[in-house]
Amino acid sequence: MTMKAVRFTVPGAPPVVETVPIPTPGPGQVLVRIGGAGVCHSDLHVLDHGAPGFHGPFTLGHENAGWVAALGAGVSGWKEGDPVAVYGFWGCGHCHACLLSMESYCENAEHLPNNGGGIGTDGGMAEYMLVPSPRLLVPLGKLAPRDAAPLTDAALTPYHAIKRGLHLLTPDATVVVIGVGGLGHMAVQLLRVLCGARVVAVDLDERKLEHARQLGADLTVNSRNAAEAAETINAFTGRRKAAMVLDFVGIQPTLDLAIQLVGRNSQLTVVGVGGGTIPLTQWTLPFGCSVSTPLWGSRAELMEVIALAQSGRIHVDTHCFSFEQGPQVLQDLRDGKVVGRGVLVPDAA
């Protein structure tokens, strides 16, 4: 039995759609029939640079949801047909961080055979995906997998990042979201649910800024002219400035802007992997400002994110495509043409 899959081959090469065998679950493993696989900027990072320490080829896709298709020997607690989300980062499962379900901070990450599906081993941009342990599955309830797949990163990552500084986001504070694409548009919604702080959304794309306004941002600012953007935002925040800045881009211009926006006793949270740097000295940032570089989130937090989606308090703006369209969707994402989240599904027209 075979299936179509969107594959990484070597760093710098475009993705390819290939026919590969459908895997069979071994002892302790679970085979998931994919209902949706989110298309993420991290996929572009893998295509450009590979997965550090891991070699291709492998199937892309780390935002995945579907239905249990088959259980390996010894697996209990699940049955065929159960709708599930697949937790994206695969740790060792037994270190202190993993026992807290914080597998993205696994103490043994550098010595593992891979960091997860689509990050060193086969991911979910295919009809089926092999998951190495049932602990990596989270029940979806009535959520449709094609809608829920991006929750595993596009919602989980900003949720985790926000929670790390939630104590700063009081009703009289302001939080700035730089980059309101896949993760950023979820951050705007999550901030509306989790705190009473005012939300400023920043982007270069007017379509994404309009989307942020529809999602409840109090102020939207185009950062094409960085000096004017900083002046506008600082006038809005006042002397206190921003209690938190969430940078979902991470390139040098966005980090340079973020430094101008944070206030004292604040947090500058860098989520994007754009490669920018912050020259940290005692005088670079306001006193009391911490810099946070969160990675993904915990399995327990994914359960919380799914609960928010089940209650209708957050939703991913998804656009579905077939696996055959996967390479073009990835290129459109690179070109900045995707608003919300692209999702590859087996049955897309």
Side-chain angles (χ1 to χ4, degrees), residues 214-225:
Q214 294 171 0
L215 295 173
D218 296 287
L219 175 69
T220 58
V221 178
N222 193 307
S223 58
R224 194 166 300 280
N225 186 317

Side-chain angles (χ1 to χ4, degrees), residues 122-303:
D122 289 336
M125 291 187 185
E127 295 172 59
Y128 292 88
M129 176 183 182
L130 191 62
V131 179
S133 170
R135 79 173 191 278
L136 301 169
L137 302 179
V138 175
L140 280 184
K142 295 182 179 180
L143 288 179
R146 64 168 57 193
D147 297 326
L151 296 173
T152 62
D153 182 5
L156 175 59
T157 296
Y159 182 79
H160 174 64
I162 292 165
K163 282 185 67 175
R164 288 169 67 94
L166 194 56
H167 61 287
L168 299 171
L169 302 181
T170 54
D172 57 344
T174 306
V175 55
V176 178
V177 178
I178 299 179
V180 285
L183 274 67
H185 93 280
M186 295 307 304
V188 172
Q189 295 181 66
L190 288 163
L191 288 163
R192 280 294 175 220
V193 171
L194 296 174
C195 72
R198 299 186 300 175
V199 179
V200 178
V202 180
D203 206 288
L204 296 171
D205 189 330
E206 287 296 335
R207 298 172 305 160
K208 295 177 181 178
L209 292 174
E210 173 58 29
H211 191 205
R213 284 191 288 272
Q214 294 171 0
L215 295 173
D218 296 287
L219 175 69
T220 58
V221 178
N222 193 307
S223 58
R224 194 166 300 280
N225 186 317
E228 289 184 3
E231 182 178 356
T232 299
I233 296 168
N234 285 332
F236 181 78
T237 57
R239 292 182 179 180
R240 185 175 179 181
K241 305 185 80 171
M244 177 187 285
V245 175
L246 293 152
D247 185 351
F248 289 101
V249 185
I251 59 176
Q252 198 59 53
T254 59
L255 288 178
D256 290 343
L257 175 61
I259 290 171
Q260 299 178 65
L261 303 179
V262 287
R264 295 192 175 195
N265 192 32
S266 62
Q267 186 176 107
L268 198 172
T269 302
V270 185
V271 180
V273 292
T277 60
I278 300 174
L280 186 59
T281 71
Q282 185 72 357
W283 309 106
T284 305
L285 295 168
F287 290 115
C289 177
S290 62
V291 177
S292 176
T293 56
L295 175 64
W296 233 312
S298 70
R299 296 196 314 275
E301 287 172 327
L302 178 54
M303 296 175 71

